[in-house]
Amino acid sequence: MSSEKIGFALRPGVFSPQEIRETAVALELSDRVSRIFVPDMRVGYESLEIAASILALTKRVHSGSGVIRLLEHDPQLLTRRVQTLQALSSGRLILGVGTGPPGPQPGKTVSAMLERLDELKKGFASFPQGVKPPEIYVATLKQGIARRAAVKADGLLLNFCSPQHASKLVEAARIERGEGIDFACYLKIFHSSRDDETAQRLMLQEFLSYDSAPQYHEMFVQDGIAKAISTFNENEGWKNGPVNVPKELLRVSLANPESDELVQYVKAFRQARVTLPVVYPYFPSGEDARFKLETVNRIVKSL
């Protein structure tokens, strides 16, 4: 492929802290990789702290949260944390933010999150000379938030969607903003050293897990894949027997892909005007650390 940039998402729980450190150092060696996002989970390690370790180990790549639930953070303390990380990393921090579960009134939750973001940006404006504000990405699942966030962020961060759905979000944002905004998208890829079916089961489990969240179920409905996902809820034979992944789901995600399949998958998102495809590798619990690092290196070489 061309020299276009890519990103990576290194998820705590999929990668141990030590594996994240080793993988980040390996990714730093490729000038194709421009950003490393650290997804923030409800429990376990905290994404900005892990990003701080990545920034300390690297000199070129940008890293940060992908994403923190902004309304759960004290704005003054978060401003100080961001200022500190920006100063120590020569301005390479990414601040990815989102609402978290939107609750019964999603519109109001989005408004509150964007108001909090405005408050933060005012604090960033008072940083000392030589310390610049971070790149800000807002998590975006639907067209409404794409339009509202486009005028406030440096980038939008899409997740677990097809190129067709991504294209609709990009178009909605560009109507509001025009050019000058980055469109990142998590491309979830499931790997197993054991066999293809193990990787496919891992992928189906992730679809079902996300589908249980109302905001993702609604996005899957809009993306035309909710019905395909529901068949695996109704018939659990795939958990132990043969796995037959519907083609609709393979527009969104891949399991143990060959290099040419991966190239075409990423190309489809670029054609949908995603400017930063972010490869998001998953592995089964207990997967060999060497296999994980070899897989990441193989992905970088393929793309």
Side-chain angles (χ1 to χ4, degrees):
M1 293 180 71
S2 70
S3 59
E4 294 170 304
K5 301 297 183 183
I6 60 173
F8 267 81
L10 302 180
R11 176 176 176 158
V14 172
F15 295 86
S16 71
Q18 182 59 30
E19 289 168 350
I20 289 176
R21 289 161 59 88
E22 293 172 354
T23 304
V25 170
L27 292 174
E28 168 85 353
L29 298 176
S30 172
D31 60 6
R32 293 287 316 287
V33 180
S34 66
R35 292 168 179 79
I36 299 174
F37 290 87
V38 183
D40 193 52
M41 315 311 294
R42 278 286 179 186
V43 297
Y45 300 108
E46 200 273 336
S47 64
L48 282 175
E49 304 297 342
I50 292 179
S53 73
I54 293 173
L55 293 168
L57 288 166
T58 57
K59 295 181 179 180
R60 177 191 59 80
V61 72
H62 292 221
S63 185
S65 57
V67 297
I68 58 171
R69 294 166 291 279
L70 188 54
L71 294 173
E72 297 177 4
H73 289 257
D74 176 85
Q76 292 184 338
L77 179 57
L78 183 57
T79 298
R80 292 178 61 204
R81 294 177 72 194
V82 169
Q83 176 180 314
T84 303
L85 290 172
Q86 279 291 78
L88 292 172
S89 68
S90 301
R92 292 184 291 121
L93 177 69
I94 302 165
L95 183 64
V97 301
T99 62
Q105 296 180 303
K108 288 187 176 181
T109 306
V110 170
S111 294
M113 185 271 290
L114 293 176
E115 288 170 7
R116 178 66 58 84
L117 182 56
D118 285 336
E119 184 180 351
L120 279 179
K121 290 170 73 174
K122 289 178 182 177
F124 297 162
S126 64
F127 280 179
Q129 186 174 0
V131 182
K132 63 182 182 179
E135 293 179 293
I136 298 172
Y137 285 79
V138 174
T140 305
L141 300 184
K142 295 185 289 186
Q143 295 180 49
I145 189 171
R147 288 191 292 267
R148 297 177 67 183
V151 296
K152 297 179 181 291
D154 300 294
L156 301 184
L157 182 56
L158 288 53
N159 184 27
F160 221 10
C161 64
S162 70
Q164 292 78 11
H165 186 74
S167 180
K168 293 176 183 177
L169 300 186
V170 171
E171 181 62 27
R174 284 190 162 164
I175 288 173
E176 292 294 323
R177 171 86 177 252
E179 302 296 327
I181 184 170
D182 200 20
F183 296 98
C185 186
Y186 280 161
L187 310 186
K188 298 194 174 194
I189 307 174
F190 298 82
H191 300 271
S192 172
S193 61
R194 183 178 174 183
D195 53 40
D196 290 348
E197 287 197 341
T198 299
Q200 290 166 354
R201 289 190 183 99
L202 187 65
M203 180 175 74
L204 292 175
Q205 287 167 356
E206 191 73 357
F207 271 113
L208 289 169
S209 175
Y210 271 76
D211 190 54
S212 67
Q215 68 271 30
Y216 275 96
H217 176 74
E218 187 176 342
M219 184 187 76
F220 291 156
V221 169
Q222 292 179 7
D223 207 357
I225 63 172
K227 185 175 181 180
I229 295 171
S230 70
T231 62
F232 294 93
N233 252 333
E234 296 162 2
N235 181 0
E236 297 188 349
W238 60 273
K239 291 184 177 180
N240 298 303
V243 182
N244 183 19
V245 179
K247 290 183 179 180
E248 303 98 296
L249 302 188
L250 296 178
R251 294 187 291 114
V252 175
S253 189
L254 296 177
N256 269 7
E258 298 292 339
S259 293
D260 57 347
E261 186 181 7
L262 179 61
V263 167
Q264 291 304 313
Y265 172 67
V266 173
K267 183 179 179 181
F269 281 90
R270 290 201 188 278
Q271 290 174 338
R273 296 178 293 176
V274 169
T275 52
L276 184 71
V278 180
V279 178
Y280 192 154
Y282 277 72
F283 301 90
S285 176
E287 183 62 85
D288 182 71
R290 287 175 298 178
F291 176 75
K292 294 180 187 179
L293 185 57
E294 289 169 0
T295 299
V296 168
N297 285 328
R298 187 167 64 249
I299 291 170
V300 173
K301 289 179 181 178
S302 297
L303 300 177

